[in-house]
Amino acid sequence: MSIHSADFIKSSPKIEECPEPDFPEYAFIGRSNVGKSSLINMLTNKKGLAKTSSTPGKTQLINHFLINNSWYLADLPGYGYAKVSKKTREIFSKMIEKYILNRKNLVNVFILVDARHLPLENDLEFINWLGEKEIPFSLVFTKIDKVSQREFAFNFKKYMQELRKTWEEVPTIFKTSAEKKIGQEEILSFIEDTNKYLERNKITFT
Ligand SMILES: Nc1nc2c(ncn2[C@@H]2O[C@H](COP(=O)(O)OP(=O)(O)OP(=O)(O)O)[C@@H](O)[C@H]2O)c(=O)[nH]1
Ligand SMILES: [Mg+2]
């Protein structure tokens, strides 16, 4: 899929303020600093579209971008960021939870995990929670430019082992680098195929 347009629509502190759910929506979720905003910029070929920062906790609202006038990308705040207060963390997770469970046009959640790390407890918890709630999701490894192939193969294997403990089938997996532009085509094709499926089956949201 080629991107003709990518426009920032709005930032919303809660689901009630999000744009009308009139187009299919794809959300990017993951721990703070994992590279959600950078991935969105890479996918859309627009450097400053989503604000990125080397300091975790940059994205604090639900940001909506309209792509090709036909589907939404949602950039969410990171979960599990240790430096904000426990109270703020709880507000964020409640907000994300409510968004995921109630957003009518949400067709897929991309969960981002850092390729440099072994599976982390709160990522696995989040993945299993999505499963329980029957929310479709895919797993995206980020920053693969920062690991050696050997190191990544090891982390990847550990992830698969953990996932197989609760899942018969592993989800669709993407390996990405915003820095080196790896994984753009794969993710965009996945979104394109999903959009076509919705169209063919006349699935709308309003
Ligand atoms: N080397 C490398 N660095 C990356 C990559 N993706 C993101 N980064 C860096 O990681 C840091 C965090 O990136 P963001 O995209 O702001 O992360 P985020 O997940 O949106 O963070 P919050 O909004 O704070 O939750 C920035 O310094 C990015 O430049 C990547 O693929 N490779
Ligand atoms: Mg961000």
Side-chain angles (χ1 to χ4, degrees):
M1 170 174 25
S2 54
I3 305 287
H4 318 293
S5 63
D7 301 302
F8 169 70
I9 303 298
K10 69 180 293 199
S11 297
S12 320
K14 51 185 178 188
I15 182 173
E16 291 83 357
E17 291 174 36
C18 287
E20 278 299 300
D22 43 7
F23 293 116
E25 183 157 310
Y26 298 84
F28 289 76
I29 297 180
R31 289 153 51 82
S32 258
N33 213 242
V34 71
K36 299 174 291 295
S37 302
S38 303
L39 185 68
I40 288 176
N41 294 340
M42 186 272 268
L43 292 174
T44 56
N45 301 320
K46 232 175 165 176
K47 262 215 161 94
L49 186 64
K51 301 276 176 296
T52 64
S53 166
S54 53
T55 322
K58 176 71 187 168
T59 310
Q60 305 221 340
L61 299 161
I62 306 172
N63 294 301
H64 275 87
F65 305 94
L66 182 60
I67 315 299
N68 291 352
N69 275 314
S70 58
W71 52 279
Y72 283 121
L73 268 182
D75 185 12
L76 275 89
Y79 56 79
Y81 173 45
K83 280 199 183 143
V84 298
S85 69
K86 189 158 175 262
K87 183 97 197 118
T88 312
R89 267 210 312 271
E90 277 169 14
I91 293 171
F92 276 172
S93 20
K94 279 266 164 329
M95 184 254 260
I96 294 172
E97 208 175 289
K98 199 169 162 199
Y99 163 85
I100 291 176
L101 296 177
N102 298 293
R103 186 75 174 150
K104 286 198 180 70
N105 58 339
L106 182 62
V107 292
N108 193 62
V109 172
F110 290 96
I111 306 175
L112 278 59
V113 296
D114 194 319
R116 294 172 297 181
H117 299 153
L118 285 167
L120 296 165
E121 199 51 50
N122 59 356
D123 287 329
L124 293 169
E125 258 172 36
F126 186 63
I127 291 171
N128 290 330
W129 178 81
L130 287 172
E132 265 167 44
K133 302 291 178 196
E134 300 184 349
I135 309 287
F137 69 90
S138 331
L139 186 61
V140 178
F141 289 93
T142 62
K143 309 191 188 184
I144 60 162
D145 59 288
K146 286 201 162 185
V147 275
S148 69
Q149 279 202 6
R150 235 185 80 168
E151 200 182 342
F152 180 59
F154 185 78
N155 293 346
F156 185 81
K157 199 171 113 194
K158 290 282 177 205
Y159 255 99
M160 295 308 110
Q161 281 171 356
E162 285 298 331
L163 291 174
R164 289 212 174 87
K165 284 184 187 166
T166 30
W167 302 85
E168 256 174 58
E169 269 180 70
V170 292
T172 307
I173 290 166
F174 298 98
K175 299 165 194 176
T176 69
S177 162
E179 192 76 19
K180 296 263 187 301
K181 241 189 187 199
I182 299 169
Q184 183 193 35
E185 262 190 50
E186 289 80 1
I187 293 185
L188 290 181
S189 302
F190 174 89
I191 294 176
E192 186 174 32
D193 291 346
T194 309
N195 286 342
K196 280 186 181 154
Y197 171 87
L198 296 172
E199 250 174 58
R200 252 197 331 272
N201 293 284
K202 303 201 165 34
I203 300 171
T204 54
F205 311 100
T206 44

